[in-house]
Amino acid sequence: MDYKRVLTMQDISCFGQCSLTVALPIISACKIETTILPSAVLSTHTGGFSGFTFRDLTDDIPKIIDHWEKEEINFDAFYTGYLGSLTQIEYVKDISKRLLKKDSKLIVDPAMGDNGKLYSIFDLTYAKEMAKLCKTADIVLPNVTEACFMTGVEYKENYDEEYVDNLLRALTEIGCKTIVLTGIGYTEDTTGVVVYENGKKEYYKHKKIEKGCHGTGDVFSSAFVGAYMQGKTLFESAKISANYTLKCIENTQGDKSHWYGVKFETALDFLIDSLK
């Protein structure tokens, strides 16, 4: 297999096991060269901490892009996570035009909400612009909340397969090509992922651990990118990353002091074995 290079753009939450602090080690563990483009630096993530520091790096991004272009640095894939502004969405489009190799992949995790609500810094304008970005992506990785805000479909806590089919249809109508819809469960004790590609839908389910953990979306997306760039199919990549994320949660259960994320490092050998 060729040695691949992935660029990932999202924030650095210095403490808290999310965003770039999970993307870099997880994708690297998949034997993929991983380049990072920080969108912001925070002392901690925002889920449960107070008084955290925040430094916006938007103004630095164009200079980094220009330098990379001058040095003829390019990428086999571009994976985006949490973006802090409309301006950064535009920079993603610029990078896609200037720095991606032919036949490379743009993979977008529209990280902007969960449980029926947008994160506090985002609004409907941002959701609409994210929908436009997802239209340009090769693969999108939304949860139900994000899919609803991008399409205008009413969010439901409880749903059936028909509802999910309608949501997939709405995503394709706004231009999404290939979709990995996460957090899909039709029973109380299961959850899973729906993969939609070329008009074909596949579903992988596994057991659900009731107590959620911060950062698991980033863990899933990063593992997905690593598996996919290793040559796994879309469905194989979704299955591997779902199982890995579950393993990370299981390894964290019972440790009340570790409320801020999952012990993803303890399951990296599980992920690596899954790729063999």
Side-chain angles (χ1 to χ4, degrees):
M1 189 192 77
D2 293 337
Y3 185 59
K4 301 290 186 180
R5 179 188 293 149
V6 168
L7 169 63
T8 180
M9 178 177 170
Q10 44 194 306
D11 71 276
I12 298 176
S13 292
C14 298
F15 181 85
Q17 295 176 306
C18 66
S19 302
L20 284 181
T21 60
V22 302
L24 177 57
I26 288 174
I27 300 172
S28 296
C30 296
K31 300 182 180 180
I32 307 296
E33 180 182 353
T34 311
T35 303
I36 63 170
L37 182 53
S39 58
V41 178
L42 296 83
S43 54
T44 67
H45 62 63
T46 60
F49 293 103
S50 60
F52 51 83
T53 67
F54 177 87
R55 182 174 293 275
D56 185 6
L57 298 180
T58 300
D59 291 343
D60 294 286
I61 294 173
K63 291 175 280 188
I64 294 172
I65 297 170
D66 290 343
H67 184 214
W68 284 347
E69 187 173 45
K70 179 183 177 182
E71 296 294 332
E72 299 183 352
I73 297 170
N74 48 35
F75 304 96
D76 298 290
F78 183 16
Y79 153 48
T80 69
Y82 189 98
L83 304 174
S85 66
L86 298 176
T87 301
Q88 291 186 5
I89 290 177
E90 292 304 312
Y91 287 158
V92 170
K93 297 175 184 177
D94 189 37
I95 291 168
S96 299
K97 294 175 182 177
R98 295 167 60 184
L99 299 178
L100 295 190
K101 296 179 182 178
K102 183 181 179 182
D103 299 325
S104 61
K105 300 295 184 182
L106 173 59
I107 304 171
V108 174
D109 177 357
M112 60 181 175
D114 204 0
N115 299 314
K117 297 180 180 179
L118 291 173
Y119 299 142
S120 58
I121 71 165
F122 298 134
D123 57 18
L124 289 176
T125 299
Y126 182 89
K128 289 180 180 179
E129 290 304 310
M130 180 57 72
K132 293 178 183 177
L133 176 61
C134 287
K135 180 179 179 179
T136 71
D138 296 286
I139 303 169
V140 295
L141 309 168
N143 60 31
V144 173
T145 297
E146 292 153 352
C148 286
F149 274 103
M150 288 194 296
T151 61
V153 172
E154 180 185 0
Y155 175 80
K156 291 185 178 181
E157 193 76 31
N158 300 303
Y159 48 78
D160 55 15
E161 188 173 0
E162 182 181 2
Y163 175 83
V164 171
D165 288 344
N166 289 335
L167 196 53
L168 290 170
R169 187 178 305 110
L171 286 166
T172 61
E173 287 174 353
I174 65 169
C176 296
K177 304 174 186 67
T178 301
I179 304 159
V180 179
L181 190 60
T182 62
I184 301 299
Y186 300 118
T187 63
E188 291 185 359
D189 59 344
T190 62
T191 187
V193 56
V194 172
V195 175
Y196 183 86
E197 182 181 25
N198 298 324
K200 180 182 177 183
K201 181 185 71 171
E202 293 182 275
Y203 179 52
Y204 177 70
K205 71 176 181 179
H206 55 81
K207 71 176 181 179
K208 180 180 181 180
I209 297 177
E210 192 59 35
K211 188 179 183 300
C213 297
H214 190 90
T216 51
D218 299 333
V219 168
F220 174 90
S221 296
S222 300
F224 174 88
V225 171
Y228 187 72
M229 295 308 294
Q230 273 277 22
K232 301 298 182 182
T233 67
L234 204 72
F235 186 75
E236 289 171 340
S237 300
K239 181 179 179 180
I240 287 169
S241 51
N243 288 338
Y244 171 63
T245 304
L246 176 61
K247 183 68 172 176
C248 293
I249 297 171
E250 289 176 335
N251 287 3
T252 312
Q253 294 295 295
D255 186 349
K256 294 181 179 179
S257 68
H258 204 97
W259 55 268
Y260 49 83
V262 290
K263 299 177 181 178
F264 73 91
E265 304 93 340
T266 66
L268 282 173
D269 55 347
F270 177 88
L271 173 61
I272 293 166
D273 287 342
S274 300
L275 294 171
K276 294 178 181 178

